[in-house]
């Protein structure tokens, strides 16, 4: 089976930097996604990592270590609108194709 | 925005009745997924499809069936709805997940209440 772990809640200050960690144990690993989800809305794509290393996209960066089963999402220059749930998801290659399995999400609260 | 339409967006139904949710895409993508989202559980995969008539089960498939007779439509059916199936249902699509540059896009969600 698959096991994906991330913290349930985090709080950070506007303008600061926050790192959201995700660990996973799975077979057939074929990449890791990060999504942002505001309450009552659909998840929106943030990043995808399949190779080890750091991917940077504006204020958001994502890191992957396949050997350690570890990823993090780094958010810089936090804004109030960044208050949302951040979802870590692992892409798993099976005999039937690629399936995407999610962790339970990290609720980030950005305070003044 | 990816061309994904879920219908109905909101539905209230009675226990024991059949319910079908529709996911329609205009992107001609190969993969389509159905998830449910509940507090404390996050997004859980129900079923997914990797081509017309090619489907597979996810982690919470009991009580659900799916149908994909054409590329653009992926139907999720609750044969006999139960209160435990009250949830928000999301459809997602992708052409080639796992290939850099190909992401997985989500629909707006369908809120289902079983009373």
């Amino acid at each position: 089976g698959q096991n994906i772990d991330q913290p349930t809640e985090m709080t950070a200050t506007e303008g600061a930097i926050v790192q959201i960690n995700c660990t996973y144990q799975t077979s057939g690993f074929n990449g890791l996604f990060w999504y942002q989800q505001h309450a009552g809305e659909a998840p929106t794509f943030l990043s995808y990592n399949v190779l080890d290393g750091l991917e940077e996209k504006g204020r958001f960066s994502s890191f992957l270590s396949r050997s350690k089963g570890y990823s993090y999402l780094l958010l810089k220059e936090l804004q109030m609108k960044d208050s949302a749930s951040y979802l870590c998801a692992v892409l798993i290659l099976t005999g039937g194709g690629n399936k995407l399995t999610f962790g339970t999400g990290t609720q980030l609260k950005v305070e003044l | 925005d990816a061309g994904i339409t879920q219908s109905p967006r909101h539905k209230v139904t009675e226990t024991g009745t059949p319910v079908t949710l529709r996911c329609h895409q205009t992107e001609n993508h190969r993969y389509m997924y159905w998830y449910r989202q509940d507090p404390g559980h996050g997004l859980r995969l129900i079923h997914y499809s990797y081509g017309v008539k090619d489907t597979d089960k996810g982690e919470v498939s009991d009580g659900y069936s799916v149908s994909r007779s054409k590329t653009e439509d992926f139907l999720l059916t609750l044969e006999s709805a139960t209160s435990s199936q009250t949830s928000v249902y999301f459809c997602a699509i992708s052409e080639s997940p796992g290939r850099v540059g190909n992401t997985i896009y989500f629909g707006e969600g369908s809120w289902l209440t079983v009373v």
Side-chain angles (χ1 to χ4, degrees):
Chain A
Q2 299 86 40
N3 193 36
I4 303 170
D5 290 315
Q6 49 182 132
T8 303
E9 296 179 338
M10 299 183 71
T11 301
T13 304
E14 188 179 36
I17 299 172
V18 70
Q19 178 175 311
I20 303 174
N21 296 323
C22 173
T23 59
Y24 63 90
Q25 292 177 303
T26 186
S27 56
F29 179 82
N30 198 25
L32 188 144
F33 287 83
W34 283 96
Y35 283 83
Q36 180 192 61
Q37 186 179 27
H38 287 98
E41 298 182 7
T44 55
F45 170 77
L46 291 177
S47 68
Y48 172 66
N49 295 68
V50 64
L51 301 176
D52 286 357
L54 186 69
E55 295 280 342
E56 297 186 82
K57 191 184 296 184
R59 294 190 299 116
F60 293 71
S61 303
S62 57
F63 172 83
L64 176 67
S65 169
R66 295 177 65 137
S67 63
K68 295 182 179 178
Y70 168 69
S71 175
Y72 67 73
L73 180 68
L74 194 70
L75 291 73
K76 304 175 185 176
E77 302 170 13
L78 280 172
Q79 302 175 10
M80 298 300 289
K81 67 177 182 180
D82 296 330
S83 292
S85 183
Y86 291 86
L87 313 177
C88 171
V90 173
L91 191 65
I92 299 162
L93 184 60
T94 73
N98 283 281
K99 65 178 183 179
L100 188 67
T101 300
F102 283 82
T104 54
T106 298
Q107 187 65 45
L108 175 65
K109 182 179 180 182
V110 180
E111 299 179 327
L112 292 171
Chain B
D1 290 341
I4 312 171
T5 304
Q6 291 186 226
S7 59
R9 293 290 315 281
H10 296 87
K11 185 174 182 67
V12 179
T13 192
E14 293 186 348
T15 299
T17 60
V19 176
T20 295
L21 305 180
R22 179 188 186 220
C23 179
H24 178 77
Q25 60 148 327
T26 58
E27 306 294 327
N28 202 36
H29 282 349
R30 179 183 169 202
Y31 279 82
M32 299 185 77
Y33 302 83
W34 274 111
Y35 290 88
R36 61 177 290 173
Q37 188 170 37
D38 307 287
H41 291 279
L43 280 158
R44 292 182 290 174
L45 182 64
I46 305 171
H47 283 280
Y48 69 104
S49 169
Y50 47 96
V52 174
K53 293 187 173 18
D54 291 322
T55 64
D56 204 353
K57 295 180 179 180
E59 58 192 300
V60 289
S61 59
D62 289 347
Y64 300 94
S65 63
V66 288
S67 168
R68 189 152 179 220
S69 59
K70 46 187 178 178
T71 300
E72 58 265 36
D73 287 327
F74 193 32
L75 305 179
L76 178 70
T77 297
L78 291 65
E79 301 291 346
S80 178
T82 67
S83 58
S84 65
Q85 293 175 311
T86 292
S87 187
V88 183
Y89 292 85
F90 285 100
C91 174
I93 66 171
S94 178
E95 173 53 29
S96 183
R99 182 177 298 176
V100 176
N102 275 264
T103 191
I104 299 176
Y105 298 98
F106 282 80
E108 295 296 304
S110 293
W111 275 254
L112 178 66
T113 301
V114 183
V115 297

